[in-house]
Amino acid sequence: MSRIGLIAGNGRFPFLVLQGARSLGHDVTVVAVKEEAFPELEQAARAAAAELHWVSLGHLGKCIKVLKGAGARQAVMAGQIKHAKIFSGIVPDFTLLSVLMKLQARNTDALISGVADVLRKEGIELLDSTAFLAPLLAAAGVLTRRGPSEDEATDFAFGCRVADQVAGMDVGQTIVVKDRAVVAVEAMEGTDAAIRRGGEIAGPGTRVVKVAKPKQDMRFDVPVIGIATIEAMRAVGATAMTIDAGRTLVVDGDRVFSAANDAGIAIVGRPEPARG
C-alpha cells in the first residue's frame, strides 16, 4: 500500500478524501491546519487508522517534514482555507515566506501553485483533490426532478458567459443573476455568502451560476457544493443552479439533489468543454 498525505482545511471535504483513500487501500497521513480543520477530523483519522498531525497555518516547512517523515510521496489538498487569510492570519515560516516573496499576485492560484512547486521540489507530488472522489463529481444534464424553466435557462446562458470571465481572472467561481442581470459576484467571502447577498439585493427568483476556472487546476480550489449551498438558496428564494459537470464536487452526494427537490430547486450540470 502506498502512503498518501492529506493536507486538510475546513469542511467535510477532508473526511471524504480520508474515507476514499482508505477504501482504495492507501495508508494516510493527515496534516490538519490547526486554525481551519474541524476537530472531529482527529476522531475520523483514528477510526481510519490514519496518523494525524496538527500544524499551524503558514507552517509549510513542518507540513513537508511530517509528510516526508511518514514516507508520503503523494498528497492531496482538501478543504477550505479562508481566502482572506492571505492578508491576515498567516504567520509564515521560512519555507512559506520564500513562496510569498516570489508571488506577483496574492490570489489563490498563485499562492497554492507556489506551495505545489515547493512540495514537488521536496519529492511530494500534489494529486488532483478529487483523485479518490470520482463518484462525487457532478454529472452532465439535469440532476434534479425538474429541469430549468425557459427563463432560468436563459439566465444560465447569460450567467455562464459572465462567470467564465470572472473565474478566468481568479476572482471567484460563483455569480448570482436575475433577469439577465448580475446581482452578486463571489470574491473571497465564498459561495454561500454570495448567494445570500444576491437574495438580499434582488429578492426571490435569483439563479446561481457556479463554474470551474477555464484552466481549472484540479489539484486545488475545485468548485464544491453541499447541503449548505441548497439551504442558502432556499433561504433567499433562489430557484435554480448550474454547475460544471466533471469539475464540481458534490460533497453530500445524492442528499444535495434530494434537498433541492424538496425545495423545488433545479440543478443542471453543464457539460465539460471540448478539449483541443
Side-chain angles (χ1 to χ4, degrees):
M1 285 191 295
S2 62
R3 180 166 292 277
I4 298 295
L6 168 57
I7 304 170
N10 68 31
R12 294 190 56 243
F13 197 171
F15 294 82
L16 297 172
V17 172
L18 175 59
Q19 294 166 5
R22 288 294 294 154
S23 70
L24 293 174
H26 296 285
D27 290 325
V28 181
T29 295
V30 182
V31 178
V33 177
K34 190 181 299 183
E35 295 83 358
E36 294 284 355
F38 290 171
E40 295 83 0
L41 187 58
E42 188 157 4
Q43 182 178 351
R46 193 179 306 116
E51 302 175 12
L52 183 141
H53 303 263
W54 292 99
V55 174
S56 289
L57 185 64
H59 290 189
L60 179 58
K62 183 176 179 181
C63 172
I64 292 170
K65 182 177 180 180
V66 167
L67 294 177
K68 292 180 72 171
R73 292 296 174 262
Q74 295 179 314
V76 172
M77 285 186 176
Q80 187 184 38
I81 304 295
K82 294 182 181 65
H83 293 190
K85 289 190 175 178
I86 293 174
F87 300 101
S88 63
I90 294 180
V91 181
D93 62 8
F94 179 79
T95 306
L96 183 58
L97 186 61
S98 68
V99 173
L100 295 174
M101 290 176 65
K102 296 176 183 176
L103 294 183
Q104 295 187 9
R106 287 209 171 193
N107 56 30
T108 305
D109 274 3
L111 176 59
I112 306 184
S113 291
V115 170
D117 288 343
V118 172
L119 289 170
R120 186 176 61 253
K121 289 175 184 176
E122 293 290 341
I124 300 169
E125 177 191 3
L126 196 59
L127 303 177
D128 286 357
S129 58
T130 58
F132 306 111
L133 301 176
L136 295 180
L137 287 170
V142 176
L143 303 175
T144 44
R145 187 176 299 131
R146 78 168 182 90
S149 67
E150 184 176 344
D151 280 348
E152 289 167 341
T154 301
D155 268 352
F156 285 168
F158 164 79
C160 283
R161 291 195 298 272
V162 177
D164 285 339
Q165 294 297 316
V166 172
M169 294 185 289
D170 197 22
V171 174
Q173 296 170 311
T174 302
I175 68 169
V176 181
V177 301
K178 184 176 180 180
D179 298 333
R180 274 66 72 202
V182 177
V183 294
V185 177
E186 175 195 17
M188 289 190 174
E189 77 277 28
T191 298
D192 297 347
I195 292 170
R196 288 191 293 270
R197 191 171 75 253
E200 290 168 0
I201 294 170
T206 54
R207 287 84 195 236
V208 179
V209 176
K210 189 171 184 68
V211 301
K213 297 167 188 174
K215 296 181 180 179
Q216 180 70 50
D217 190 329
M218 294 299 286
R219 297 177 300 172
F220 50 81
D221 206 26
V222 173
V224 176
I225 67 167
I227 291 291
T229 312
I230 304 304
E231 291 174 346
M233 292 180 66
R234 183 202 287 263
V236 298
T239 65
M241 166 182 272
T242 177
I243 56 180
D244 279 2
R247 300 191 293 170
T248 303
L249 190 69
V250 184
V251 293
D252 296 303
D254 288 341
R255 291 175 55 221
V256 170
F257 306 119
S258 178
N261 286 332
D262 291 344
I265 293 170
I267 302 179
V268 176
R270 182 174 66 154
E272 291 189 71
R275 306 295 178 184

